[in-house]
Amino acid sequence: MTSPGADLPLHGPEASASPRPYPPARRDDVVEALPAADPVARVADPYRWLEDAAGEDARAWSAAQDALLAEHRARWAGRDEAEERLRGLLGAGSVGVPVWRGERRFSTRREPGGEHAVLLVREPGTDGAEVERVLLDPAALDPSGLTTLDAWQPSLEGDLLAYQLSEGGSEESVLRVLDVATGEVVDGPVDRARYSPVAWLPGGSAYYCVRRLAPELVPEGEEQFHRRVVLHTVGAPESEEVEVFGAGRDLRTYYGASVSRDGRWLSVTAAIGTDPRSDVWLADLGEGSAAAAAPPLREVVVGEDASTSARVGRDGRLYVGTDLGAPRGRLAVADPHEPGPDGWRDLLAERDDAVLEGWTVLDGPELGDAPVLLAAWTTHAVSRVTVHDLADGALRAEVVLPGTGSVGGLVSRPEGGHEAWFTFTDPTTLPHVHRFDARTGEVEVVEGPPGALDAAEPDVPTTTQQLEVTSADGTTVRVLVTARADALDDAGAPLASAPLVLYGYGGFGVSLRPTWSATTLAWVRSGGVWAEAGLRGGGEEGEEWHRAGMGPEKPRVYEDLEAAADALVDRGWTTRERLGIYGGSNGGLLVGAALTRRPDGYRAVVCSAPLLDMVRYQLHGLGRTWAGEYGDAEDPEQLGWLLAHSPYHHVRADQPYPATLFTVFDGDSRVDPLHARKTCAALQVATSRPVDEAPVLLRREADVGHGARSLSRSTGLTADVLAFLGHHLGLDVARVP
């Protein structure tokens, strides 16, 4: 028996005519002498002119790339059919976990065919029956689909709602407050609130948030930095805000803020950029809470090389989540009046078989004198949930989950109770909301997607397994592999090689977990194999795993990907001619490094919103905030780390580079598209493979950014990605079994 699609041509249908050559790109003689580890590095940058997207030459080059892409896209069989399939797979819509405020519950839901999720409130009506209302609908606010709901937070009483919207992919969140009963906007717009938390005080008259200083108050080029924690009074002008914290600290610092349920305790966290360490302070606001607008802050933990969060619970104890001395995480408790590490007592000690991901307390009167702590863990990226005694953390039970998958959004009622809610998903199951009842230990599904998958998309059985591979230094790396069940033997081994996409990220402590994906299912049901590698740099095995792929250790991440690719070929899952790799953002750096390290190692590469010029990455977008992850190009030693793997600087002439598709977004304010433009130009000149065999292409998209987007924008992008991969790896992506 052969695997589905095994008899397809490897590189798609032949074109009737050879495509045009690559657009010309001038090479400027730009060479900088930079202080590197070996005293001076002379670094060439011939395509620096492509950093200025508005420049006349760059605009002409980009327009020519658009034409080249269109010509090649017309050759990708099944592209439009793939988009329809994706719409069908996404047609069921989605639901989010409920956030309770008294008798009101807030949650998101995307209706079948909806471009965006809407924010709902459900509450008892006059007759006692539950009434549902739409509070916010991004598509109604902006029919163009370019406005996204970035965040929302009800007040402690549930009568007010703070929400943040941004436009055109900018992620420049503008904060407003509406009256939940009337829908009237009662506060805002409050600008410069990107990535801001909202910490309400009791009564809803004010909240703590984080805002950047006004542009006129900061040096040119630093407008995205200089944040402050402020106390904002609802309906009051900006001039009446009280600055609470942040002055005099590193301009790249991000802040968090939360207030205890009773309004007495304010906790503030600070982390420089995305560094894996944070400081925490605690303030006693007193009985009057709002009276102490800028209270004195007491150190909880400051200056330690660890990430920590802290908040005071309903029982008056300080709960501290930290990886200090525990890379896989632990939960401690302390007296908030003496919050330092010397007073911490472990409630959940570090485990050697799991990473602590989240927790919530269930202490309602229904539980009597036996309140519990619910904890979410992952073992090799697979979720587990355990029940513990709240007093001492003793293990009581393990929650039976529906399968091998991922738990998200573990929440309970803020005023206490015996129930918790979470979502569960696996590679073949759409996310559903589950409810845990601490009285019985039972788990039940309480809400699923509002629609059904397209009936035209047959439910082909698929299976996911976790493989272990050995990296260059002997480290074990785990790879989740999803394939059609009928393509495997009884032992789960492939019956024949198939077109395979290997996806990776490997950075910032982000874990790749087994979750439902329309992209994966569309590819797999057509006869391909989808693999996701839990590389170092991620969080699959805790903070040590993350740090093993940071800074000077970044090449370990690339070695892990190479080991996964080699193992998948050696074990018969695919061949080099049918192997593609895919990554975005930090994952774009990953696949960019992979294709320059091993030009002949992969047949096709999709490199989305990538970082690629690691010498100048700090000068653009939010690059300054990532120096802790990658290294600081202004430091001679760290510049050496960056030059050692910077993909743009490792493009070499006359190499057999794989077919490569760069996807970039003009509204991306995190990773500037200049990285892809420059590296695309370099590869088009350098590759030894003809354009009709292994093209290097650039797909750019206006009015969207790095993060959230509408459904139609998502399906359009993914259809292009799948059709490109199918064309070059030999998979008919229109094939419906």
Side-chain angles (χ1 to χ4, degrees):
M1 176 180 178
T2 59
S3 64
D7 57 345
L8 295 174
L10 289 181
H11 311 308
E14 292 297 324
S16 57
S18 297
R20 73 185 71 189
Y22 292 118
R26 75 169 193 266
R27 288 178 57 87
D28 290 345
D29 187 22
V30 175
V31 179
E32 281 191 309
L34 299 174
D38 292 322
V40 173
R42 295 183 58 79
V43 180
D45 189 2
Y47 301 107
R48 185 172 295 180
W49 57 276
L50 281 170
E51 291 184 0
D52 179 12
E56 182 177 351
D57 289 348
R59 285 191 290 109
W61 180 88
S62 294
Q65 296 296 333
D66 295 344
L68 181 65
L69 172 70
E71 186 174 313
H72 280 265
R73 181 162 43 196
R75 295 155 45 93
W76 300 342
R79 188 267 172 212
D80 292 342
E81 294 86 347
E83 184 167 12
E84 286 304 308
R85 291 186 65 200
L86 289 163
R87 284 187 176 277
L89 288 167
L90 292 167
S94 61
V95 290
V97 293
V99 173
W100 290 87
R101 294 293 185 268
E103 293 301 310
R104 280 181 170 144
R105 58 184 172 123
F106 302 80
S107 64
T108 58
R109 183 172 70 209
R110 185 178 63 78
E111 296 292 343
E115 287 288 341
H116 293 282
V118 301
L119 177 61
L120 306 167
V121 62
R122 284 170 275 201
E123 59 194 338
T126 55
D127 60 356
E130 186 175 72
V131 176
E132 177 182 287
R133 292 185 289 120
V134 175
L135 280 180
L136 289 168
D137 180 354
L141 294 171
D142 178 6
S144 74
L146 301 181
T147 294
T148 58
L149 177 59
D150 298 335
W152 50 275
Q153 184 66 252
S155 63
L156 297 174
E157 297 77 19
D159 54 350
L160 297 174
L161 178 89
Y163 65 99
Q164 291 154 276
L165 299 173
S166 63
E167 301 175 358
S170 68
E171 298 181 301
E172 276 298 331
S173 299
V174 175
L175 193 155
R176 296 175 176 85
V177 175
L178 62 76
D179 183 299
V180 172
T182 66
E184 178 188 359
V185 175
V186 297
D187 188 38
V190 177
D191 63 359
R192 307 190 309 277
R194 183 178 191 172
Y195 305 148
S196 173
V198 173
W200 285 97
L201 287 169
S205 63
Y207 54 84
Y208 293 95
C209 65
V210 176
R211 298 188 69 193
R212 301 194 306 270
L213 295 180
E216 62 270 18
L217 300 179
V218 302
E220 184 177 357
E222 295 183 0
E223 293 84 1
Q224 282 292 332
F225 309 104
H226 298 283
R227 291 170 173 81
R228 300 289 189 271
V229 179
V230 300
L231 178 64
H232 178 90
T233 299
V234 173
E238 179 180 350
S239 60
E240 294 183 15
E241 286 182 347
V242 177
E243 184 174 313
V244 176
F245 193 70
R249 303 188 65 82
D250 190 297
L251 64 89
R252 300 167 296 168
T253 303
Y254 289 109
Y255 299 101
S258 66
V259 174
S260 60
R261 173 70 182 174
D262 62 5
R264 177 164 185 174
W265 299 96
L266 167 70
S267 65
V268 174
T269 61
I272 297 175
T274 58
D275 288 5
R277 54 190 66 86
S278 56
D279 297 332
V280 184
W281 294 263
L282 191 67
D284 186 346
L285 300 177
E287 296 296 330
S289 65
L297 292 163
R298 181 181 302 170
E299 292 184 1
V300 177
V301 56
V302 174
E304 296 286 352
D305 187 13
S307 292
T308 304
S309 62
R311 65 179 177 85
V312 176
R314 290 182 295 271
D315 56 7
R317 294 191 297 181
L318 178 68
Y319 288 79
V320 181
T322 185
D323 59 21
L324 180 61
R328 291 177 176 267
R330 62 185 172 117
L331 178 65
V333 290
D335 180 345
H337 297 96
E338 298 179 5
D342 290 344
W344 296 357
R345 175 177 63 84
D346 277 358
L347 198 58
L348 297 176
E350 182 185 29
R351 296 177 60 156
D352 59 9
D353 65 340
V355 177
L356 182 61
E357 299 286 354
W359 55 274
T360 194
V361 170
L362 302 180
D363 57 358
E366 303 88 349
L367 300 178
D369 58 357
V372 300
L373 175 70
L374 207 60
W377 313 78
T378 57
T379 297
H380 310 318
V382 175
S383 285
R384 306 167 62 181
V385 177
T386 53
V387 184
H388 303 260
D389 187 283
L390 184 59
D392 60 10
L395 179 65
R396 286 191 181 180
E398 182 145 353
V399 176
V400 177
L401 298 176
T404 301
S406 298
V407 164
L410 185 66
V411 299
S412 58
R413 292 177 183 266
E415 69 273 16
H418 62 281
E419 302 164 295
W421 291 263
F422 58 87
T423 58
F424 181 85
T425 178
D426 63 38
T428 61
T429 306
L430 285 158
H432 285 62
V433 177
H434 293 68
R435 182 179 70 90
F436 170 77
D437 189 330
R439 298 172 302 180
T440 63
E442 294 179 352
V443 174
E444 65 173 338
V445 175
V446 293
E447 189 173 12
L453 296 180
D454 189 342
E457 179 74 25
D459 185 15
V460 178
T462 63
T463 182
T464 299
Q465 56 185 289
Q466 193 169 65
L467 307 180
E468 293 186 355
V469 305
T470 303
S471 195
D473 64 352
T475 298
T476 298
V477 175
R478 292 169 177 85
V479 183
L480 290 166
V481 179
T482 302
R484 284 178 53 159
D486 61 3
L488 309 178
D489 64 19
D490 292 342
L495 293 167
S497 65
L500 184 148
V501 177
L502 174 59
Y503 184 89
Y505 189 79
F508 296 96
V510 173
S511 300
L512 296 186
R513 299 176 183 168
T515 57
W516 188 87
S517 164
T519 305
T520 300
L521 279 184
W523 181 262
V524 169
R525 287 181 173 181
S526 291
V529 176
W530 195 274
E532 295 189 350
L535 312 171
R536 278 176 283 188
E540 291 85 355
E541 307 297 335
E543 183 55 26
E544 285 183 347
W545 190 252
H546 171 207
R547 297 191 184 210
M550 285 175 56
E553 304 302 324
K554 195 67 179 174
R556 297 295 191 194
V557 186
Y558 313 142
E559 292 171 1
D560 291 353
L561 184 79
E562 291 163 358
D566 291 346
L568 291 165
V569 171
D570 293 344
R571 299 179 193 180
W573 289 94
T574 192
T575 65
R576 291 290 174 193
E577 285 295 296
R578 291 187 159 198
L579 174 61
I581 54 175
Y582 178 17
S585 192
N586 175 78
L589 169 61
L590 168 71
V591 299
L595 73 90
T596 54
R597 284 167 61 99
R598 284 190 178 183
D600 58 353
Y602 318 96
R603 179 62 199 175
V605 176
V606 176
C607 186
S608 183
L611 281 159
L612 296 166
D613 180 349
M614 299 308 293
V615 171
R616 291 172 60 80
Y617 83 94
Q618 291 165 263
L619 304 180
H620 307 279
L622 296 181
R624 280 193 187 188
T625 64
W626 307 325
E629 182 76 14
Y630 298 123
D632 184 349
E634 296 181 357
D635 178 279
E637 180 184 6
Q638 296 181 38
L639 175 62
W641 307 344
L642 295 164
L643 278 171
H645 66 86
S646 177
Y648 173 61
H649 298 94
H650 283 268
V651 175
R652 300 289 181 260
D654 298 320
Q655 296 296 309
Y657 288 110
T660 301
L661 176 65
F662 294 98
T663 67
V664 296
F665 318 113
D666 289 352
D668 193 336
S669 57
R670 290 192 227 175
V671 181
D672 197 295
L674 69 87
H675 290 271
R677 289 195 296 268
K678 291 170 66 174
T679 307
C680 177
L683 284 173
Q684 288 179 344
V685 170
T687 185
S688 62
R689 286 181 171 166
V691 65
D692 58 341
E693 175 190 330
V696 177
L697 304 170
L698 180 71
R699 181 193 188 276
R700 62 189 184 117
E701 191 173 356
D703 299 319
V704 291
H706 204 84
R709 56 174 53 212
S710 66
L711 177 69
S712 58
R713 289 296 189 100
S714 296
T715 54
L717 170 63
T718 304
D720 280 350
V721 167
L722 292 183
F724 168 82
L725 290 167
H727 180 82
H728 291 285
L729 302 182
L731 185 72
D732 180 3
V733 294
R735 183 175 187 267
V736 178

